[in-house]
Amino acid sequence: MYLGIDVGSVSTDIVVLDEKLNVMHKLYLRTKGRPIKAVQEGLYELSKYYKDSDIKAVGTTGSGRYLTKVLVGADIAKNEITAHAIAAINLDREVRTIIEIGGQDSKIITIENGVVTDFAMNTVCAAGTGSFLDRQAERLEIPIEKFGEYALKSKNPVRIAGRCAVFAESDMIHKQQLGYDVSDIIAGLCNALARNFISNVAKGKDIKPKIFFQGGVAANIGMKKAFEEILNMEIYVPEHHDVMGAIGAAILAKEQIEDIGKTSFRGFRIYDMSVKPNTFKCNGCSNMCEIVELKENDINIGYFGDKCGRWSRVAV
Amino acid sequence: MNITFPHLGNTYIAAKVLFEGLGVDYTIPPLSSKKTLEIGCLYSPDDVCLPFKIMIGNYVESIQRGADTVLITGSCGPCRFGEYCELQKKILLSLDKDIKFIVIDEPAKIGIREFLNRLSMVAKDSKLSKAKKIKALSMAVKTINLIDNIEKECRFFAGFEKNKGEFARLLKTVKLEAIEAKGAEKTLKVLEEHYEKLKKIEIDNFKNPIKIGIIGEIYTIIDPLSNMYIEDILMNLGVSTRRTLYPSWWVKNTVLSGLKINFSKIYKESKEYLGLCIGGHARECIGEAILNYKHGFDGLIQIFPVGCMPEIVSKAILPDIERRYGIPILSLVVDEMTGEAGYYTRVEAFLDLIEGRKKLCI
């Protein structure tokens, strides 16, 4: 079995895939700014069902991939763009475009013949990503899971200025004060975010069907509908849309292990180890990289964060 | 008079040779670091381009070490760089630092006579004969050509090396030893010795590494602090990189255009897309994109600072080149606010993309 871990800004997703790459187990946990704790919680959960020897390979992805790689002893740490693409291609060879909206970034990936041909990520602002929607749901006192349903109820979506997260919020408050219906405002917000995505992130990219919509925000049917209306194309939300990154990481780990042979997985036992990161500045050159050192019960288990490999290559 | 200058790649080594050859007092600013950038951001207008801020940081750090004259190159517009010297002078004045500026503009713009006049201002304090001054200048030109060539070859052949890290180590030591060498002649000797060593590093011609061309705004692609050490990172990953815009290229190009005998291939290639100079190095960016494709490169990374007008124009042209030649291009925009995580994620994903294409032989 193959383990995939995606440590993102908002959620930490863990999947277990079988030999045929079917999802056996999936966990969707909140990172809450403590990636080590989130991964440990996930592994504790999984240790009830699996033995160390069941795991043949481990892959990590997401913004916490390097930390997690050292923590769990993963065989590969890959960026989330590649991981999402691999997972989608594996599911359906026909996929040509992936729209992925996660906690704090949104991406578009275009694919031709099963190979990534182009991609883009949001650069200037996080408007339209998961954490922004989360915050708005909280402000409107609507559970985030119900956000999409509200949007679908709307008959006359209002126009919201979606270029910037702060201004979008002021515009929403303004529309609320004018007395617009909440569902019209939510639908307007979904439209604004989809429009913003197409004109900013997807600027200059060829969007061709079949289109996959992945990431936590894909659970929002309001966003799906908004994209379908703007693009005038059908959008597919895969069953495991929320953990596609983790699935990709597990698949990449499987491919990696075919090359290197044996996994370096440190076992499920790390869930009750006290692991502490410690940062320091390297004075090796003018780069002054901030190095992170991971310590488990005061024993060093690895370094990362350097640009030259001086520390991360240190065998521990 | 104690001359300083802003950092631009390896120019500090050539400047050292020049000033030591002339026997003029000089101060090399500490290599640009996060602290330099912090100082620069503190005193610069917020909207100005990143190079401006790093340069201000360089000046302030040099002035603290005793410099009183700044030597920079100009361009007389049309991009913002043409106004740098005036604005920087005013900023330093407002900090109660009355610093003299010597601006070396292109001879094509200010005329050969004025150009030579400004050059002679640099050597004003030198007691040497004219012939010796010219010798010092020619040694400096030789230095910049040599060190840039070493860097170019290290970065290109890094993908082919048999023992990983040899070129990176050589590049690091040559710069350290060159700056520590005493006197102009010894510095040149250090460079020559390393160039010989470089030729002896074993390469594997059967390797097929990813080859990437670095294009974009001249300062940000040369200065490692602004582009977050992208060339070093690619080198560590075993990627071969090629970049034409080195300080030595600039020197050659400036002199040739002053003599009106510049028939560079770059301009021939870019003519179809950009017939005119729109400031900065937009034409070079386009021309280089096409030339890199013709040299069989796998992908291109364009880097430029936020708000760089010429590069925004070339960024708009690049998708056309991407489609026409089928070469993937990644545009990265940098300033002091650029987040590292997103930046490296893009670069990593771009390398994966190229590797995927290579496997399928697209």
Coordinates of all heavy atoms in Angstrom, one line a residue, chain B residues 48 78 114 133 136 147 162 176 212 219 235 238 249 251 286 292 294:
Chain B
V48 N 8.9 52.0 -6.8 CA 10.1 51.9 -7.8 C 10.5 50.4 -7.9 O 10.1 49.6 -7.1 CB 11.2 52.8 -7.2 CG1 12.1 52.0 -6.2 CG2 12.0 53.3 -8.4
P78 N 14.7 54.8 -22.3 CA 13.4 55.3 -22.1 C 12.7 54.6 -20.8 O 11.7 55.0 -20.4 CB 12.6 54.9 -23.3 CG 13.4 53.9 -24.1 CD 14.8 53.9 -23.5
E114 N 32.1 63.2 -24.5 CA 31.6 63.3 -23.2 C 31.8 61.9 -22.4 O 32.2 61.9 -21.3 CB 30.1 63.6 -23.2 CG 29.4 63.6 -21.9 CD 29.9 64.7 -20.9 OE1 30.5 65.6 -21.3 OE2 29.6 64.5 -19.7
K133 N 47.0 54.0 -17.4 CA 45.5 54.0 -17.1 C 44.8 53.2 -18.1 O 43.8 52.4 -17.8 CB 45.0 55.5 -17.2 CG 45.3 56.3 -16.0 CD 44.8 57.7 -16.2 CE 45.3 58.6 -15.1 NZ 45.0 60.0 -15.3
A136 N 45.1 49.6 -17.3 CA 44.2 49.2 -16.2 C 42.8 49.0 -16.7 O 42.2 48.0 -16.3 CB 44.2 50.3 -15.1
I147 N 35.8 36.3 -16.0 CA 35.0 35.7 -14.9 C 33.6 35.4 -15.4 O 33.0 34.4 -15.1 CB 34.9 36.7 -13.7 CG1 34.1 36.1 -12.6 CG2 34.4 38.1 -14.0 CD1 34.7 34.9 -11.9
K162 N 30.5 14.8 -14.4 CA 30.6 13.4 -14.0 C 30.4 13.3 -12.5 O 29.7 12.5 -12.0 CB 31.9 12.8 -14.4 CG 31.7 12.1 -15.8 CD 32.9 11.2 -16.1 CE 32.7 10.5 -17.4 NZ 33.9 10.2 -18.1
L176 N 35.7 33.8 -4.5 CA 36.3 34.1 -3.2 C 37.8 34.4 -3.3 O 38.3 35.4 -2.8 CB 36.1 32.9 -2.3 CG 34.7 32.7 -1.7 CD1 34.7 31.4 -0.8 CD2 34.3 33.9 -0.8
I212 N 17.9 25.0 -19.7 CA 17.0 26.2 -19.5 C 17.7 27.5 -19.8 O 18.8 27.7 -19.4 CB 16.4 26.2 -18.1 CG1 15.4 25.0 -18.0 CG2 15.7 27.5 -17.8 CD1 14.7 24.9 -16.7
Y219 N 19.0 43.3 -14.8 CA 19.5 43.3 -13.4 C 19.0 42.1 -12.6 O 19.7 41.4 -11.9 CB 19.0 44.6 -12.7 CG 19.6 44.8 -11.3 CD1 20.8 45.5 -11.1 CD2 19.0 44.2 -10.2 CE1 21.3 45.6 -9.9 CE2 19.5 44.3 -8.9 CZ 20.7 45.0 -8.8 OH 21.2 45.2 -7.5
M235 N 21.4 24.8 -10.8 CA 22.7 24.1 -10.9 C 22.7 22.9 -9.9 O 23.2 21.8 -10.3 CB 23.8 25.1 -10.5 CG 25.1 24.8 -11.0 SD 26.1 26.3 -10.6 CE 27.7 25.8 -11.3
G238 N 21.1 19.9 -11.1 CA 21.7 19.3 -12.3 C 21.1 19.8 -13.6 O 21.0 19.0 -14.6
W249 N 28.6 41.2 -21.6 CA 27.8 41.4 -22.8 C 27.4 42.8 -22.9 O 27.4 43.5 -23.9 CB 26.5 40.5 -22.7 CG 25.5 40.8 -23.8 CD1 25.5 40.2 -25.0 CD2 24.5 41.7 -23.8 NE1 24.5 40.7 -25.8 CE2 23.9 41.7 -25.0 CE3 24.0 42.6 -22.9 CZ2 22.8 42.5 -25.4 CZ3 22.9 43.5 -23.2 CH2 22.3 43.4 -24.4
V251 N 28.9 45.5 -21.7 CA 30.1 46.3 -22.0 C 30.3 46.2 -23.6 O 30.4 47.3 -24.2 CB 31.4 45.8 -21.3 CG1 32.6 46.5 -21.9 CG2 31.2 46.1 -19.8
I286 N 13.1 38.9 -26.1 CA 12.4 38.2 -27.2 C 13.5 37.5 -28.1 O 13.3 36.3 -28.4 CB 11.6 39.2 -28.0 CG1 10.6 39.9 -27.2 CG2 11.0 38.6 -29.2 CD1 9.5 39.0 -26.6
N292 N 17.5 30.8 -27.9 CA 17.6 29.6 -27.0 C 16.8 28.4 -27.6 O 17.3 27.3 -27.6 CB 17.0 29.9 -25.7 CG 18.0 30.5 -24.7 OD1 19.1 30.1 -24.7 ND2 17.6 31.6 -24.1
K294 N 16.4 27.9 -30.8 CA 17.2 27.4 -31.9 C 18.5 26.6 -31.4 O 19.0 25.8 -32.2 CB 17.6 28.6 -32.8 CG 16.4 29.2 -33.5 CD 16.7 30.1 -34.6 CE 15.5 30.4 -35.4 NZ 15.6 31.6 -36.2

